[in-house]
Amino acid sequence: MTSPQPQRADVPAIRGWLLIEHPGPWGFSAGADTPALPADVRAAADALGFRINLIRQHRHVPRPGQERCFVSSPAGGRQLLEQLPVDRLTGRFAAVAEALAAGRPSGLATPVAEPMYLVCTNSRRSPVCGGPGRSVARAVAAAAGPRAWETTHVGGCRFAANLVCLPSGVFYRGMAPAEAAALIAAADRGRIVLSRYRGRAGLSPQAQAAEWAVRQATGLDGMDALRVAEAGPPDDDGHREVSVATPAGTYQVTVRPRDRAGQRYDVLAMTAPGCLSITTPRSLPTAAPGLPTAAPGLSIAAPCGEAGPRFGDGRHGSGAELPEPACTAGTEVRFSHGVLERKPATGSIGP
């Protein structure tokens, strides 16, 4: 199976999810399929930046009145997932969503310890999702059991089959059924398979672009291996600076808006904490057996210099050995058609 290889983050700018169990049939949008959903719930989801999705489990039809409902958000720096009855949405959803988006448990719903894996299978939205999506959904169900769900539109039909991991907010694209077991195993270990990585929800569009670029440049695959700061103010051209802290130090990433709405950003350049060792294209150091390697022409760079702060536990560190310093600090890098180009920090980086 093939799909467009993103050379930049391509994930909807959302802060969280409201997931409602609904066996179907599904229409073009979740909103049209849930006319009885209270107006205050819809308004709160829109105001808080939460996506409403319908979900169902393979070969499982809930009894009427026993449908489950989940709320999740990684936006507050913590990965949180809670469950509450559908009949408690009115009067509770807004408070639960606000708490989770702020990085704290709500106290109004039941915490869910196990992750959820959502595969888009909404054929009414896109036939591409209905065909490959269902095949991947069955494979994910075989690998993840009751943690696997089919879902309505998640965005990016051209990248089907799409998978979303909650509560982390990690998006994967272009999956094949044979890859499901390896990807789920990596996710259960707290790692991101970078060769299928689309980006991570819960971050601002600017932070998302910077996070994706640093991961692709360094091979860092741990969920907690990076810390992304909020973007600085825009300059006259709309360019913004984003700081991304890694175990080897902090990258400074320059991004610019890709659209007038400022919902997508491109990476212009990165300044490494020490230097960058540009290598020939090779497999990402974190690729699991059975999964594809990095995109052709995408060079993988590893930072060097003095070690910086480390985050998370030992499972979530660097995906590769860091070389000894071989160049001066402050080397500047820019993306050109998906390839990283190294330039001296004091020199020109072109038009």
Side-chain angles (χ1 to χ4, degrees):
M1 180 182 299
T2 61
S3 71
Q5 169 70 40
Q7 299 295 348
R8 52 197 177 193
D10 201 316
V11 167
I14 55 180
R15 300 181 70 213
W17 286 264
L18 167 58
L19 307 173
I20 301 172
E21 189 173 18
H22 180 69
W26 292 341
F28 187 79
S29 69
D33 290 336
T34 54
L37 191 64
D40 67 314
V41 174
R42 295 179 188 273
D46 184 63
L48 294 169
F50 274 57
R51 177 189 287 274
I52 300 175
N53 271 47
L54 304 182
I55 57 173
R56 64 190 175 200
Q57 287 186 314
H58 185 55
R59 294 182 177 177
H60 172 76
V61 178
R63 294 180 180 179
Q66 295 187 0
E67 296 87 356
R68 286 164 287 181
C69 177
F70 301 89
V71 184
S72 179
S73 177
R78 295 179 64 185
Q79 303 170 18
L80 297 171
L81 175 64
E82 297 185 351
Q83 179 180 345
L84 72 165
V86 174
D87 60 6
R88 297 292 182 90
L89 281 175
T90 298
R92 287 199 182 187
F93 168 70
V96 172
E98 286 178 357
L100 269 54
R104 64 178 188 274
S106 71
L108 299 172
T110 304
V112 178
E114 294 293 322
M116 298 176 68
Y117 297 103
L118 313 179
V119 181
C120 180
T121 60
N122 193 358
S123 59
R124 290 289 297 275
R125 186 78 179 223
S126 170
V128 178
C129 296
R134 287 199 178 96
S135 297
V136 169
R138 288 192 290 270
V140 172
R147 300 177 297 160
W149 297 79
E150 297 182 24
T151 186
T152 49
H153 183 61
V154 300
C157 297
R158 66 190 181 280
F159 296 127
N162 286 292
L163 181 143
V164 181
C165 306
L166 298 182
S168 67
V170 167
F171 276 63
Y172 290 107
R173 53 85 198 161
M175 285 185 57
E179 300 167 352
L183 192 146
I184 297 300
D188 285 345
R189 295 194 307 270
R191 296 199 174 270
I192 297 173
V193 177
L194 299 179
S195 56
R196 287 297 189 206
Y197 186 46
R198 270 186 63 190
R200 190 168 184 175
L203 299 174
S204 68
Q206 307 95 317
Q208 186 187 125
E211 191 262 5
W212 186 93
V214 171
R215 285 192 184 277
Q216 297 298 330
T218 63
L220 288 168
D221 69 333
M223 290 282 188
D224 302 325
L226 306 183
R227 289 290 184 272
V228 188
E230 284 301 320
D235 63 15
D236 292 341
D237 295 320
H239 301 172
R240 305 179 73 169
E241 298 293 324
V242 182
S243 297
V244 182
T246 77
T250 299
Y251 284 75
Q252 299 298 329
V253 184
T254 304
V255 299
R256 67 177 174 188
R258 195 192 318 169
D259 52 40
R260 292 183 179 180
Q263 293 300 303
R264 296 289 190 276
Y265 277 76
D266 286 328
V267 172
L268 290 181
M270 292 193 296
T271 302
C275 66
L276 285 179
S277 175
I278 302 300
T279 69
T280 57
R282 58 178 170 81
S283 300
L284 287 171
T286 57
L291 289 171
T293 60
L298 178 62
S299 297
I300 306 302
C304 58
E306 294 186 5
R310 295 189 176 275
F311 308 107
D313 57 34
R315 299 176 306 162
H316 299 171
S318 171
E321 293 291 330
L322 300 182
E324 292 297 320
C327 58
T328 59
T331 298
E332 194 161 18
V333 178
R334 67 179 290 143
F335 277 89
S336 177
H337 304 292
V339 178
L340 293 171
E341 299 175 346
R342 180 162 62 96
K343 300 283 185 179
T346 57
S348 170
I349 61 172

